[in-house]
Amino acid sequence: MNISLWWHSFAVAIGAWAVALLAGLAMAVTVATAGPALRRWGCAAGAVTLALPPFLPANCWLEITAAWRSTIGAEASAIAMLPLTAMVLGLGLWPVTLFLVLGAWRKLEAIVLEAEPNLRGWSLVRWVLWPAARSALKLSSVLTLTLALANFTVPTLFQVRVFTEEFWLRYNTQFDLWGALSATWPLWILPVLLTALWRTPEVAWRREASTVPPALLARRIGRTGRTVTIGLSVLVVLASLALPLGQLVIHRRTWTELPGAFAAGSLAAGNSFLSAAAVAVLLPAMALLLAGRGRGRGLSRRDHNRAGFLSWIARGAWLVFLLPGVFLSVGLIVALNRPGLIWWYSSFGIVWLALGLRYLAPAWGAISAAVQTVDPALDETARLLGAGRWAHFRLVTWAQLPGPILAMAYAVYLLCLWDVETLVLLQPPGGETLALRIFNLLHYGHAAQVNALCLVTLGIALLPLVGFGVARWSVRPQRPGLPPEIDSNPRVQSGWRSRCLAVGCGAVVLGGCSDRSAALPGDRPLTSKYFAAARIVGSRGVAPGQFNKPRSVACDRDDNLYVADITGRIQKFSPDGRFLLQWQMPQTDIGKAKGMSVDPAGNILVVEPHYQRVNHFTPQGKLVAQWGRRGTNIGEFILPRCVAVNSAGEYFLGEYTTVERVQRFSVSADLTHVPAAGVSAVSPYQLVGTWGRPGQGAGEFNRAEGIAVGPGDLVYVADSCNHRIQIFDRSGKFVREYGHAGAEAGAFSFPYDVRVDAMGRQFICEFGNSRVSIYDAADQLLETVGRAGREPGEFANPWAICFDSRGNLYVADSQNHRVQKLLRRAAPLVATAGGHGFNPSDPANGRVSDAEPAALQR
């Protein structure tokens, strides 16, 4: 048993529960004793806090504590992250306690306080407020603890190892489902026990209750008690709401990054809106149907049996909601990733199915509670008059419950919009949402990009409110002479909503049934001037010859392929795709390798960003040199991501986060002679120069993800989060740049890698647009290859590319868990080695004629 894992998990969960309970109670007292205006503002603050995406406050506190964490060291920082993570989680969950406690106190009657004038201060809390809220506090405590324990996003961003992250890492890197379940058994055993044994307390709000006047309650609590609770409430609102939103708005780079982030994320924004809107339309409709069937008004055995069966279904739905979203993802992968169901698994329908299953329970529970408040006299009258289900819904249920139904639909919309953990393993090709993109960027420390995309996401969150306001204004025009009883008829008011429901249902059916067949075996012809066909290398898995999110590729001088994935392995394949051997990286605990090339001696270069170093392996996998040290000074590394070699044997390394730069090194040690001890004891590098800084201007970078050397030793940098390619000379002098954010041809969305051939043609791997774009030496677009999909020639967030000596292009097709080999259409057009396209340091360079065939000259 991993003691630290248990300690971290329960410390974070219990700490979040304590923060949420204290903050929620303080806010509840403040709201219950306030005037009407302050009550509305307090409830609105709770609703907005609950609606905020979890990565927004996480990003805020990560940025606030960045300087402090960098000064206290890695070990102290890991310990300090526990209370910080618990605080951020608790500050997002306190509205659960607030609303449940307010609902319980609403049932208090003024006569209770008027009959006992001595009930003041602590006595009032002990004998009245606490007993009245005991059931609500039990429910809020259970919900808060369970949700905090199951939270995946916040602990992962703060790099706190908890059960959810352990499960995700074990399954995501090793596909070890049973090992992941056994190592994190409290995650699933506690929700199972809870749903099996828990009896929901009565916390429903009564429609007509003689509540205690706020002024009377304020006098009884006393000035000291109110001062304390108001002070705590102000701190809670500042820390959970004002600070994240303020940091989002006043950060200058939020607005400078916004146009590019929106243009590059337009597809993700559309995916977010469509997925959230479709589920928000369908789930309340399904919940209304289930709630109506589960009321059990009749006395027949059939009615009672049906209600009992639905109660067990409801328990199962609550179990799915209380379990971490990654559990649901894995279950759907196991169930649907099969030959007969791959058409559904590969479509966007898998997103709607996953989100619908995840949030069915809260939608069902809230609407069931609302349905119980329907006036029984009207309900029975409609039934006696023979009203059908649709007429009953329009004339009785909808007429009395439009507010709760629309509120629950909007709550589901927000939950789906922010969801990360349910979709992180299920993302179909081209199905990335803004929440997933924000999570990935935040995981790599891009605060400005995250802020910009959070603004976009918050704008999408407001769309239903704007649309509802417009629709309400448009469907109720002032029509002179129309009787009021007809003008306010529910039949008139619900027409547009029924049409929206029909459109939503049709969208789900069409989207879920989109035609995406499984990848076919063998080569697939391509419509391209440069590539004739696509060939699949590898499949998903952890066995030899299989991949899990491949992220770097390189070719040696014999055209053997080397692939690094998130399992921490380097695998070697022959030119015809046969697995040859593999080796494990020296360390993988805090991060995996990313960035590969070939040095002048023919060794395989592998960059380890989180260990701030470069490794030299022989083609047989023997480590012969290792260099680099952590730091922000010149010659030190902070998250190096890419490496390239020029004709003089000099190394160019790109870094990002605290620094955004390219450093140039010369080699002082002879790596062609392997030391007897194995790893070189002498540092083989010597700093020659450096350039770059954070920003969007010429010579400035925002995550230099890929780097290549072209003819004339020009250095090409894939400036990924600036959505452009920058070109420099050997000394780092800026030459030119091109590219802008977007999804159209000629635009970029997160270019992650670049390669250049001997004729200056540039091949750019676009992570966001799932394609490879080809530009000529004058930076003019020649063509794009591929699109989002699972078939050969289609990609899902490709990470890296490389050439072999015949001009074939290998693509690390990460989300499809494979490598694709794009076969060159004609005779070799590229003299290459090292997987770098044009490699001026290769002695074999220039042996092969690079003349353009006549067929391609046209």
Side-chain angles (χ1 to χ4, degrees), residues 2 220 385 402 518 637:
N2 191 333
R220 292 298 181 89
L385 292 176
F637 295 146

Side-chain angles (χ1 to χ4, degrees), residues 434-600:
L434 278 179
L436 287 174
R437 178 161 292 184
I438 290 170
F439 174 77
N440 289 328
L441 289 174
L442 190 53
H443 189 65
Y444 291 110
H446 290 280
Q449 287 272 327
V450 167
N451 284 342
L453 289 178
C454 280
L455 274 181
V456 176
T457 312
L458 290 174
I460 296 174
L462 295 176
L463 282 179
L465 299 181
V466 175
F468 178 76
V470 171
R472 186 176 182 182
W473 174 79
S474 62
V475 300
R476 297 191 64 182
Q478 296 296 325
R479 289 170 289 180
L482 189 66
E485 62 271 14
I486 297 178
D487 186 54
S488 59
N489 193 310
R491 190 184 303 271
V492 176
Q493 298 300 315
S494 62
W496 67 274
R497 299 183 183 96
S498 63
R499 290 193 292 271
C500 290
L501 179 61
V503 171
C505 294
V508 170
V509 172
L510 293 176
C513 299
S514 59
D515 183 18
R516 287 192 180 273
S517 59
L520 300 178
D523 298 344
R524 176 66 63 86
L526 294 178
T527 304
S528 167
K529 293 190 299 182
Y530 298 98
F531 301 105
R535 178 180 299 168
I536 302 299
V537 179
S539 60
R540 187 174 190 176
V542 294
Q546 295 182 321
F547 305 119
N548 187 9
K549 292 184 180 176
R551 37 202 271 153
S552 294
V553 287
C555 284
D556 64 16
R557 293 176 179 174
D558 296 323
D559 284 347
N560 295 310
L561 172 69
Y562 299 81
V563 184
D565 66 1
I566 65 168
T567 64
R569 298 175 297 167
I570 308 296
Q571 297 189 71
K572 180 180 179 180
F573 297 83
S574 67
D576 59 0
R578 290 181 296 106
F579 172 79
L580 298 177
L581 61 89
Q582 70 177 26
W583 67 87
Q584 196 73 25
M585 293 300 296
Q587 293 175 281
T588 58
D589 292 338
I590 63 174
K592 308 301 190 296
K594 164 52 178 86
M596 298 178 71
S597 185
V598 175
D599 70 12

Side-chain angles (χ1 to χ4, degrees), residues 608-681:
E608 290 183 284
H610 294 84
Y611 293 97
Q612 332 295 337
R613 66 192 179 197
V614 180
N615 301 273
H616 297 246
F617 294 94
T618 67
Q620 291 72 41
K622 184 178 182 180
L623 180 64
V624 295
Q626 189 179 75
W627 52 283
R629 62 179 179 270
R630 177 184 174 85
T632 59
N633 295 325
I634 301 299
E636 298 175 332
F637 295 146
I638 287 292
L639 287 178
R641 300 289 289 179
C642 48
V643 60
V645 185
N646 70 2
S647 61
E650 295 173 325
Y651 296 82
F652 297 86
L653 278 92
E655 307 167 68
Y656 82 104
T657 57
T658 308
V659 295
E660 298 276 355
R661 65 189 179 190
V662 173
Q663 297 198 74
R664 173 184 167 204
F665 298 90
S666 64
V667 177
S668 58
D670 186 4
L671 298 178
T672 62
H673 296 89
V674 180
V679 179
S680 174

Side-chain angles (χ1 to χ4, degrees), residues 628-842:
R629 62 179 179 270
R630 177 184 174 85
T632 59
N633 295 325
I634 301 299
E636 298 175 332
F637 295 146
I638 287 292
L639 287 178
R641 300 289 289 179
C642 48
V643 60
V645 185
N646 70 2
S647 61
E650 295 173 325
Y651 296 82
F652 297 86
L653 278 92
E655 307 167 68
Y656 82 104
T657 57
T658 308
V659 295
E660 298 276 355
R661 65 189 179 190
V662 173
Q663 297 198 74
R664 173 184 167 204
F665 298 90
S666 64
V667 177
S668 58
D670 186 4
L671 298 178
T672 62
H673 296 89
V674 180
V679 179
S680 174
V682 179
S683 178
Y685 73 89
Q686 181 179 356
L687 179 69
V688 177
T690 182
W691 71 88
R693 63 181 181 180
Q696 297 176 309
E700 298 175 340
F701 302 114
N702 191 356
R703 190 175 177 183
E705 188 72 27
I707 193 167
V709 175
D713 275 350
L714 290 178
V715 179
Y716 296 74
V717 180
D719 191 6
S720 64
C721 290
N722 281 330
H723 313 288
R724 64 184 177 183
I725 302 296
Q726 294 199 69
I727 304 167
F728 305 86
D729 67 10
R730 172 179 171 180
S731 64
K733 181 181 178 181
F734 176 79
V735 176
R736 65 184 190 271
E737 68 174 68
Y738 69 96
H740 63 275
E744 70 276 9
F748 295 134
S749 178
F750 297 97
Y752 266 20
D753 207 358
V754 57
R755 292 293 179 263
V756 186
D757 68 15
M759 298 193 68
R761 284 182 293 254
Q762 304 161 61
F763 297 75
I764 292 94
C765 168
E766 295 186 60
F767 178 88
N769 286 330
S770 293
R771 68 190 182 194
V772 174
S773 296
I774 307 172
Y775 289 78
D776 64 16
D779 308 332
Q780 298 301 308
L781 179 66
L782 297 174
E783 71 173 18
T784 60
V785 179
R787 61 179 182 179
R790 294 190 185 273
E791 296 185 7
E794 298 177 339
F795 309 109
N797 298 134
W799 271 64
I801 55 177
C802 72
F803 283 113
D804 65 13
S805 64
R806 301 191 59 81
N808 300 311
L809 185 69
Y810 289 94
V811 183
D813 192 6
S814 66
Q815 291 293 338
N816 282 328
H817 309 282
R818 66 191 181 188
V819 172
Q820 294 199 58
K821 182 178 183 179
L822 306 186
L823 304 174
R824 203 63 183 234
R825 181 171 291 279
L829 299 179
V830 182
T832 100
H836 240 37
F838 179 79
N839 190 344
S841 66
D842 181 14

